[in-house]
Amino acid sequence: MMRRTWSFLLAILFAAPFAALAQTPAFHVLAFYSTKVEPDHVDFATGAIPFFQKMAEKDHFTFEATTDWTRMNAENLKKYELVMFLDDPPSAPAVRAAFEKYMDGGGGWLGFHISGYIDHRSEWPWFADFMGTLFHSNNWPPLPAKLKVDDPANPVVKGIPPSYMAPANEWYMWLPSPRDTPGIKVLLTLDPSNYPLGFKDTLTHGDVPVVWTNTKYRMIYANMGHGTKIFDSPVQNRLFENMVLWLGRKDRAAK
Ligand code: ZN
């Protein structure tokens, strides 16, 4: 009887720390999106939510999605290491101010496609500096495109081949190229072999980065995010996972 009790106690002593480790989320993610925007962008958000939910279960972080942008406030943001914008940038001044403060204070951001859209600096100067560029033009209709990795040593592109075919997307061109903005590090770029890209609207030449980080912040902008095909590529899905894990873990700089 005594032996059984000891075994039981020992089992609890050894199991408890591991159980606690398994149950403690590595970080917490809050994704913002809107439903009254371009339907193709809502489609992306609708696909992104279960995609990241599944990733959260696999990689042990928490993931919530909301259309309530008032949750972008200082008190609520304390609970999250990473916020995502799936299909919209914020427009309300209070929400923008809370986001600026969160990012200036070391918060994490992953923004997709239209959520990085700004075409005049005067609309939101802080965001223009944060993005490091302004929207210039796009291809139409959405098309697959070959992307090339700029910095193979970067942890965000770990396991990603030097180039891959990304699923159909509406690709944005930016001016100036974010590559020319101090502090911006480009991670993936549209391969020039895609040109001319588009039928109604065509990208014909030039440097078109599609994923980059502003090294002054814990952020990644990814141009993917139009329509229902974005999550069709296992390679690109791995890239998204790398992005989330890199941004979510605040200690990533030490790795
Ligand atoms: Zn779009």
Side-chain angles (χ1 to χ4, degrees):
M1 188 67 190
M2 196 64 178
R3 182 170 288 177
R4 263 171 80 184
T5 309
W6 271 111
S7 309
F8 179 69
L9 279 172
L10 281 171
I12 291 205
L13 274 170
F14 283 101
F18 295 110
L21 269 178
Q23 283 160 12
T24 306
F27 52 87
H28 307 83
V29 181
L30 181 58
F32 291 89
Y33 69 109
S34 301
T35 51
K36 295 184 177 99
V37 293
E38 195 175 323
D40 286 343
H41 297 161
V42 180
D43 283 348
F44 167 73
T46 306
I49 291 165
F51 174 80
F52 288 114
Q53 196 76 59
K54 204 171 155 195
M55 187 190 295
E57 285 161 27
K58 174 177 167 280
D59 293 325
H60 309 294
F61 61 89
T62 69
F63 177 85
E64 295 167 63
T66 183
T67 55
D68 178 6
W69 287 80
T70 66
R71 286 180 69 186
M72 180 79 76
N73 64 73
E75 192 55 36
N76 186 50
L77 289 176
K78 282 180 193 163
K79 295 185 274 184
Y80 303 96
E81 285 82 7
L82 174 61
V83 297
M84 289 185 191
F85 293 177
L86 297 178
D87 66 359
D88 207 13
S91 49
V95 176
R96 287 181 172 186
F99 178 60
E100 290 178 21
K101 205 172 162 198
Y102 174 70
M103 292 309 300
D104 287 339
W109 179 75
L110 177 55
F112 291 96
H113 196 55
I114 190 78
S115 63
Y117 184 97
I118 179 165
D119 59 4
H120 290 89
R121 191 175 187 283
S122 58
E123 288 165 15
W124 187 5
W126 182 91
F127 195 65
D129 293 341
F130 177 74
M131 288 294 291
T133 186
L134 297 172
F135 171 85
H136 177 265
S137 52
N138 59 268
N139 73 293
W140 194 260
L143 290 170
K146 186 178 174 184
L147 305 186
K148 58 175 184 172
V149 169
D150 285 86
D151 176 10
N154 195 291
V156 175
V157 293
K158 191 178 173 189
I160 306 301
S163 67
Y164 76 93
M165 279 304 288
N169 187 48
E170 177 193 25
W171 304 98
Y172 294 172
M173 185 178 185
W174 308 79
L175 278 182
S177 167
R179 196 184 311 278
D180 298 332
T181 304
I184 299 291
K185 179 151 192 55
V186 174
L187 300 172
L188 287 104
T189 304
L190 209 61
D191 192 282
S193 66
N194 294 296
Y195 302 136
L197 182 62
F199 296 102
K200 182 175 171 289
D201 299 309
T202 310
L203 298 177
T204 56
H205 67 286
D207 181 28
V208 181
V210 297
V211 177
W212 64 86
T213 180
N214 181 336
T215 57
K216 291 176 198 152
Y217 298 95
R218 202 153 59 87
M219 67 82 92
I220 291 176
Y221 172 71
N223 186 231
M224 305 82 167
H226 187 109
T228 55
K229 301 203 165 43
I230 301 297
F231 299 105
D232 285 358
S233 159
V235 173
Q236 185 159 279
N237 292 349
R238 165 88 192 257
L239 178 68
F240 293 148
E241 186 175 22
N242 288 352
M243 290 176 184
V244 171
L245 297 181
W246 187 69
L247 290 166
R249 292 172 181 157
K250 282 190 165 181
D251 62 345
R252 81 201 191 293
K255 285 178 182 168

